[in-house]
Amino acid sequence: MSELVPEPRPKPAVPMKPVSINSNLLGYIGIDTIIEQMRKKTMKTGFDFNIMVVGQSGLGKSTLVNTLFKSQVSRKASSWNREEKIPKTVEIKAIGHVIEEGGVKMKLTVIDTPGFGDQINNENCWEPIEKYINEQYEKFLKEEVNIARKKRIPDTRVHCCLYFISPTGHSLRPLDLEFMKHLSKVVNIIPVIAKADTMTLEEKSEFKQRVRKELEVNGIEFYPQKEFDEDLEDKTENDKIRQESMPFAVVGSDKEYQVNGKRVLGRKTPWGIIEVENLNHCEFALLRDFVIRTHLQDLKEVTHNIHYETYRAKRLNDNGGLPPVSVDTEESHDSNP
Amino acid sequence: MSHHDNGVTVGLGIQMCERWRVEAALSFLPHQRKWGETAGAVMAGGVMDKEYVGFAALPNQLHRKSVKKGFDFTLMVAGESGLGKSTLINSLFLTNLYEDRQVPEASARLTQTLAIERRGVEIEEGGVKVKLTLVDTPGFGDSVDCSDCWLPVVKFIEEQFEQYLRDESGLNRKNIQDSRVHCCLYFISPFGRGLRPLDVAFLRAVHEKVNIIPVIGKADALMPQETQALKQKIRDQLKEEEIHIYQFPECDSDEDEDFKRQDAEMKESIPFAVVGSCEVVRDGGKRPVRGRRYSWGTVEVENPHHCDFLNLRRMLVQTHLQDLKEVTHDLLYEGYRARCLQSLARPGARDRASRSKLSRQSATEIPLPMLPLADTEKLIREKDEELRRMQEMLEKMQAQMQQSQAQGEQSDTL
C-alpha cells in the first residue's frame, strides 16, 4: 500500500500574531490618511480648552493670557484706574471666547480668580477654587451617567491651572506651598514666575533652582507629572522641561514697539525694550509652545484620564455604585482632600 | 589836606569801609575764619565792631560740638519680603549690613512669627561719625494669615518711647541713649495695584508713632507711565485712608527759584520709586556705574531718569536727617508722652500739673506706667506732703524776713 499522506496538523486555537507586512511591497493602502481624517473632523467640530489663572492681584495674569492667545480674552483694566476693589473672598469668573486659526476653532475659557492671596488673612483661600474644579468634574459626571447622553458632552473641566509666583528672588511663599499642595492632585498645575523682568539672569536661575527644590521637598507634582510619562520619549522630553525650564519666567505685554524695524510685543523702559517673544529676555515663548503647541492635547488627556477618573472613582466609592439615571443631586464633597 | 583831598579821602574812606564791610561779612564763612580774628576790628578805626557782635558764629560752634559728639539715628525698614529692602539699605549707606543673612524657606516660614531685629553700624564721612541703627522686620507679610502681624512693631516703637520717657524723668540725664525710631521706610510692592489691605493696616497702626516715608521697591519692574500711575494711586489711597506720612518741610523763602523748583519736584516724586544695587556694572566703553544688568539694558541706580534713588538719598540722608529726629522728638514723642501721662491722671495729679512752676518737678516724681498703681499713689502722696511742708517753710521764712525788715526800719527811724 502506498503511504498515507499525513493529515495536516490542526490549526492552533490561539489567534496568530498579525504578520506585519511592509505595505510598500504590495502597494499603497492609504491607512495613514487616518491622521488627515481625524484632523478634518477636529477642524469641523473644534475643541474646548479651559485654562485657569491663580495668583495675587497685579502679577500680570490677565495680560499674560491675552498675550498667550494674542487676543483680549481676559478682562483686564487697560489703565490703572481699576474701579473695582479687591474682593473680600476669592471669586471665580469664567469668560469664554471662540478663537479660530488655520481653520481650527477653539472654544477657550479663561477662569480668573480675583481676590486670591490679597487679604490680610488668606487662610483656606484656595477652597473656593477647589470647589469650582470639583463642580466641573461633577457636571461632567452627571452627563456621562445619563441614559440619553449627548453626542458631545460640553467640557468645562479645568484642563490647566497657571499658578503665578511672585518674583521675590528669595523662595516660595507659604501661601504658594499651601495652594499647590492642595490642588496639584486635583488639577494640572503649571507654576509660572510672573513679571520676570525684575530679575537678572543669575537671580532668575538661582530662584528657579530654589523653587524647584522646594516643590520637590514638599512632594508637589506640577504638570507634567513624572508618573504619567507614557514612554521613554515622553520621559526624556518632559524631564528636560521639568528639570531645566520650569517654572517658566515670563513677561507679558499687549503693547507693541518698534525694534530693529520689526514690531514686537514688549515693555519699553528708559534702559531698554523688553521683548516678550525673545528667548534671551524671557521664557514666554517656551511657555506658549509648551501649553499650546506641544502639550495642549496632553493637558486635556491627563485631565480626563487621570484627574477626572480619580474624582469619579471617589464618587463611586461614596455612593456604592452609580445609579443609572438620577444621579445624586446632593453634591457631597466630603471625600475631597 | 585840601578840601578836595578831604572829600576824596572821605569818599575813598567810605568806599574802603564798604569794601571792608563786605569782605568782613564774607569772611564770616566758617571755613575762612581763623580763631582769634574778629570781624573788622583792626580796620577803619572802630566802624566795624559796632556792626557785628559775633553770634553769627553760633552755627559754627554747634557744628563743631555735634561733630565731636557724633550723631545717632535709628531707621526702621518694613514691608513684605522680596522687595529689595536689604539691597536698598546697603546701597544707601554703602555698607554690607546684610552679608550673613539667611532667608528661611517657605515651609519654615509657615509658623514664623514676626521678629524685630536690630543692627548697628558706625559710618564716618568727612569727620562726622554717625551711629546708625537699623531695625528690621523679617517675616512681615509672609504668613498665610497675617492678622495683627503689625502689633509687635507697634509695641517695639512704643517701648522705645517708654524707655526715653523713663530716662528723661530719671536722675542721670547726661547720657540718655536715644533709641527711638526716627524714621520708617515702608516698602510697597510694585506688583500690586497700590496699597494692599495689609499695607493700609500697618500704616494706620504706626503713622502717629513714627515718621513714615513710603517707598516703591524694585521699581525697575515698571515702565515710566506705570510708575506715575502707581504713585498717584498710592497718594490717593493715603489721602483716602487718612494716613499721615512724613511731610518734608517747606524750603526757606529766600532760596533761589532753581532750588525751590528742585525741592518741589522731589516732593512730587513721593512715594519714591527706588532700585538698589551694590554691584558695579562695567559696560565696555561707558564708565562704571552701580546698577543691574539685564539682557535688554542696564538700570543705573544713580540715574534720576531710571529711578528715584538719588532723591531718596538726598532727602533722607543729606538734608533731612536732623529734621526727622526733631519731628520724632517734638511731635511724635511729645504726643506719646502726653497720652501716657494723661492716662495716669488722677484728681491729685491734675492739681499738681496745674501748678506750672512745679509741674516739671512733679513730672520727675510721677512714677512711670510700669509701677503698680498702689505704689504710685503712695509715692504721690508722700511727695505731696513734702511739697506742702516746703511751701510752709518758705512762707514762714518770708514772714520772718518781712518782720525783721520792718523791725529794722523801725529801729532806723527811731
Side-chain angles (χ1 to χ4, degrees):
Chain A
M1 270 297 313
S2 57
E3 281 159 15
L4 284 168
V5 174
E7 287 206 30
R9 289 231 321 250
K11 288 225 178 344
V14 179
M16 287 191 341
K17 239 194 319 196
V19 181
S20 108
I21 308 173
N22 190 344
S23 56
N24 276 341
L25 289 173
L26 304 173
Y28 175 65
I29 304 175
I31 305 176
D32 57 358
T33 58
I34 187 82
I35 308 255
E36 184 60 28
Q37 294 173 35
M38 278 173 67
R39 209 174 73 81
K40 277 218 193 99
K41 280 254 166 185
T42 314
M43 271 174 66
K44 269 209 277 198
T45 51
F47 61 100
D48 296 338
F49 188 64
N50 307 320
I51 184 168
M52 177 185 262
V53 280
V54 181
Q56 276 185 314
S57 76
L59 283 180
K61 305 188 288 290
S62 310
T63 311
L64 186 73
V65 173
N66 288 350
T67 320
L68 265 178
F69 296 101
K70 287 223 165 74
S71 25
Q72 291 281 340
V73 287
S74 185
R75 217 180 82 270
K76 78 170 185 83
S78 50
S79 67
W80 281 85
N81 300 327
R82 197 163 206 178
E83 288 309 319
E84 309 141 38
K85 302 243 176 223
I86 295 176
K88 290 281 182 237
T89 52
V90 179
E91 294 174 355
I92 313 276
K93 296 203 172 138
I95 304 170
H97 289 267
V98 176
I99 321 181
E100 185 174 332
E101 190 186 58
V104 181
K105 276 211 224 10
M106 170 162 87
K107 179 163 175 298
L108 171 73
T109 307
V110 177
I111 302 142
D112 199 358
T113 55
F116 177 84
D118 289 328
Q119 307 309 321
I120 295 179
N121 183 354
N122 292 310
E123 289 268 326
N124 300 326
C125 65
W126 52 83
E127 277 178 2
I129 299 175
E130 203 180 338
K131 185 158 163 275
Y132 176 83
I133 294 174
N134 286 327
E135 274 170 8
Q136 309 316 305
Y137 290 150
E138 185 62 31
K139 246 194 256 181
F140 197 85
L141 183 63
K142 259 206 248 180
E143 290 292 337
E144 231 190 14
V145 153
N146 256 335
I147 295 179
R149 285 202 283 213
K150 294 205 188 106
K151 192 165 81 157
R152 243 195 73 186
I153 305 178
D155 191 359
T156 56
R157 299 170 297 185
V158 179
H159 300 125
C160 166
C161 174
L162 290 182
Y163 186 78
F164 284 68
I165 299 171
S166 183
T168 58
H170 295 320
S171 62
L172 286 176
R173 311 177 69 192
L175 179 61
D176 302 337
L177 274 183
E178 286 298 297
F179 177 85
M180 287 197 269
K181 252 195 238 177
H182 281 90
L183 279 141
S184 56
K185 298 271 185 286
V186 172
V187 71
N188 293 323
I189 296 188
I190 298 182
V192 150
I193 298 175
K195 298 209 167 171
D197 52 343
T198 53
M199 293 195 282
T200 60
L201 281 174
E202 303 88 44
E203 290 168 354
K204 236 188 279 192
S205 71
E206 269 175 30
F207 186 50
K208 288 213 285 192
Q209 254 180 330
R210 244 173 283 154
V211 169
R212 276 196 293 262
K213 185 156 155 281
E214 265 190 301
L215 290 175
E216 193 184 319
V217 161
N218 285 282
I220 295 173
E221 283 267 350
F222 52 83
Y223 179 86
Q225 296 94 332
K226 272 194 225 140
E227 39 186 342
F228 308 140
D229 285 337
E230 282 172 0
D231 52 29
L232 191 61
E233 192 188 317
D234 270 355
K235 189 169 177 327
T236 40
E237 190 191 330
N238 287 345
D239 264 348
K240 189 159 170 292
I241 297 175
R242 272 192 295 260
Q243 285 158 16
E244 288 170 17
S245 321
M246 284 182 85
F248 298 111
V250 296
V251 174
S253 169
D254 48 10
K255 291 198 180 58
E256 286 188 337
Y257 295 98
Q258 195 89 2
V259 173
N260 292 337
K262 287 196 301 177
R263 290 200 65 76
V264 288
L265 281 175
R267 290 171 61 74
K268 182 159 181 210
T269 62
W271 49 91
I273 298 184
I274 304 157
E275 297 166 46
V276 167
E277 289 176 348
N278 182 335
L279 279 173
N280 291 328
H281 291 188
C282 76
E283 294 164 1
F284 169 79
L286 290 181
L287 174 71
R288 179 199 55 204
D289 290 349
F290 180 67
V291 173
I292 301 179
R293 295 183 192 176
T294 52
H295 287 69
L296 192 72
Q297 185 58 25
D298 189 55
L299 278 164
K300 294 181 64 168
E301 279 179 13
V302 172
T303 307
H304 180 73
N305 296 335
I306 313 241
H307 296 302
Y308 170 66
E309 288 300 316
T310 312
Y311 177 79
R312 184 171 167 275
K314 269 205 202 73
R315 285 282 277 126
L316 291 189
N317 278 335
D318 284 348
N319 298 334
L322 285 171
V325 174
S326 55
V327 178
D328 298 47
T329 45
E330 85 274 349
E331 331 279 11
S332 54
H333 293 262
D334 46 286
S335 53
N336 292 336
Chain B
M1 295 252 181
S2 72
H3 182 74
H4 272 288
D5 285 332
N6 268 345
V8 168
T9 317
V10 168
L12 265 176
I14 287 178
Q15 279 183 2
M16 294 293 267
C17 281
E18 295 283 346
R19 209 175 70 218
W20 284 324
R21 189 183 297 157
V22 170
E23 271 175 8
L26 283 177
S27 72
F28 253 98
L29 292 173
H31 56 279
Q32 281 177 358
R33 288 198 55 232
K34 291 206 248 326
W35 173 246
E37 235 178 51
T38 48
V42 184
M43 326 218 177
V47 174
M48 293 304 185
D49 21 327
K50 283 211 199 92
E51 310 266 336
Y52 297 97
V53 175
F55 58 77
L58 189 59
N60 256 31
Q61 301 175 23
L62 277 171
H63 171 83
R64 248 181 267 136
K65 281 232 169 219
S66 53
V67 167
K68 269 204 284 196
K69 193 163 75 162
F71 201 76
D72 56 19
F73 192 80
T74 304
L75 176 67
M76 175 184 269
V77 258
E80 294 184 340
S81 68
L83 291 180
K85 301 190 293 291
S86 318
T87 312
L88 185 75
I89 295 297
N90 286 346
S91 309
L92 265 179
F93 300 106
L94 290 177
T95 64
N96 216 348
L97 278 168
Y98 292 93
E99 208 165 14
D100 53 354
R101 195 167 72 118
Q102 292 246 335
V103 184
E105 289 182 347
S107 34
R109 277 141 67 197
L110 268 171
T111 49
Q112 194 186 52
T113 50
L114 186 67
I116 309 269
E117 277 179 13
R118 258 200 279 213
R119 266 168 241 262
V121 68
E122 279 217 8
I123 307 174
E124 183 169 337
E125 202 179 51
V128 180
K129 277 205 260 292
V130 173
K131 181 165 162 293
L132 176 71
T133 308
L134 272 163
V135 180
D136 211 351
T137 56
F140 180 81
D142 263 357
S143 327
V144 177
D145 181 2
C146 297
S147 311
D148 295 338
C149 69
W150 52 87
L151 290 183
V153 179
V154 177
K155 185 157 155 274
F156 177 81
I157 297 174
E158 291 196 328
E159 272 170 10
Q160 309 313 307
F161 279 158
E162 204 176 281
Q163 179 68 45
Y164 195 83
L165 183 57
R166 216 177 304 169
D167 288 345
E168 208 185 32
S169 318
L171 292 173
N172 184 357
R173 303 208 295 177
K174 256 195 296 186
N175 300 319
I176 296 184
Q177 291 284 5
D178 186 5
S179 63
R180 296 171 294 185
V181 181
H182 299 119
C183 174
C184 174
L185 278 183
Y186 188 73
F187 280 69
I188 300 167
S189 171
F191 309 124
R193 289 212 179 83
L195 296 175
R196 295 220 177 106
L198 180 61
D199 300 331
V200 172
F202 177 86
L203 291 172
R204 292 187 99 161
V206 298
H207 69 145
E208 301 282 323
K209 304 189 165 70
V210 71
N211 291 315
I212 296 178
I213 298 184
V215 151
I216 300 173
K218 291 197 173 174
D220 54 350
L222 300 167
M223 297 195 285
Q225 61 265 38
E226 292 172 342
T227 314
Q228 284 312 310
L230 181 60
K231 283 188 183 181
Q232 189 56 49
K233 184 89 209 288
I234 292 175
R235 282 196 286 256
D236 291 343
Q237 277 177 299
L238 287 172
K239 210 178 344 178
E240 199 183 303
E241 301 282 347
E242 293 179 351
I243 292 170
H244 302 134
I245 59 174
Y246 172 69
Q247 298 296 327
F248 290 93
E250 297 300 323
C251 52
D252 301 321
S253 49
D254 57 356
E255 299 282 358
D256 60 31
E257 283 307 312
D258 226 13
F259 186 84
K260 279 198 208 162
R261 192 181 40 85
Q262 227 184 15
D263 192 67
E265 258 174 33
M266 283 204 275
K267 294 212 183 99
E268 275 296 297
S269 61
I270 292 170
F272 297 113
V274 293
V275 177
S277 171
C278 287
E279 280 162 18
V280 178
V281 173
R282 281 166 234 275
D283 265 339
K286 300 193 257 183
R287 57 182 180 80
V289 283
R290 273 202 301 148
R292 292 170 61 72
R293 195 211 298 269
Y294 295 112
S295 330
W296 48 88
T298 301
V299 183
E300 295 167 34
V301 167
E302 290 172 352
N303 182 335
H305 297 295
H306 289 188
C307 72
D308 295 329
F309 176 81
L310 279 184
N311 278 353
L312 174 66
R313 186 172 64 184
R314 188 164 21 217
M315 298 207 94
L316 175 62
V317 179
Q318 292 169 0
T319 43
H320 292 90
L321 222 49
Q322 182 60 21
D323 189 61
L324 283 164
K325 288 189 73 166
E326 281 175 16
V327 172
T328 308
H329 182 76
D330 297 336
L331 202 65
L332 304 166
Y333 168 68
E334 288 299 319
Y336 170 81
R337 185 172 168 278
R339 278 196 298 272
C340 198
L341 296 181
Q342 251 173 21
S343 70
L344 280 185
R346 301 261 179 287
R350 250 184 258 124
D351 281 347
R352 265 200 314 288
S354 65
R355 271 184 254 136
S356 49
K357 233 190 262 182
L358 298 170
S359 60
R360 194 72 181 132
Q361 212 175 354
S362 39
T364 66
E365 312 295 346
I366 290 178
L368 293 162
M370 296 311 281
L371 292 177
L373 286 176
D375 285 357
T376 316
E377 286 293 352
K378 206 159 70 107
L379 268 168
I380 290 174
R381 256 180 277 123
E382 280 176 355
K383 297 297 178 186
D384 245 331
E385 281 298 322
E386 237 186 272
L387 281 167
R388 232 179 320 116
R389 260 181 274 130
M390 279 169 62
Q391 263 203 320
E392 279 171 24
M393 262 174 58
L394 263 168
E395 278 168 342
K396 246 192 267 167
M397 281 167 63
Q398 274 184 342
Q400 274 183 349
M401 271 174 59
Q402 278 178 349
Q403 266 188 347
S404 51
Q405 257 188 359
Q407 279 174 354
E409 280 172 4
Q410 279 179 351
S411 51
D412 279 340
T413 53
L414 281 175

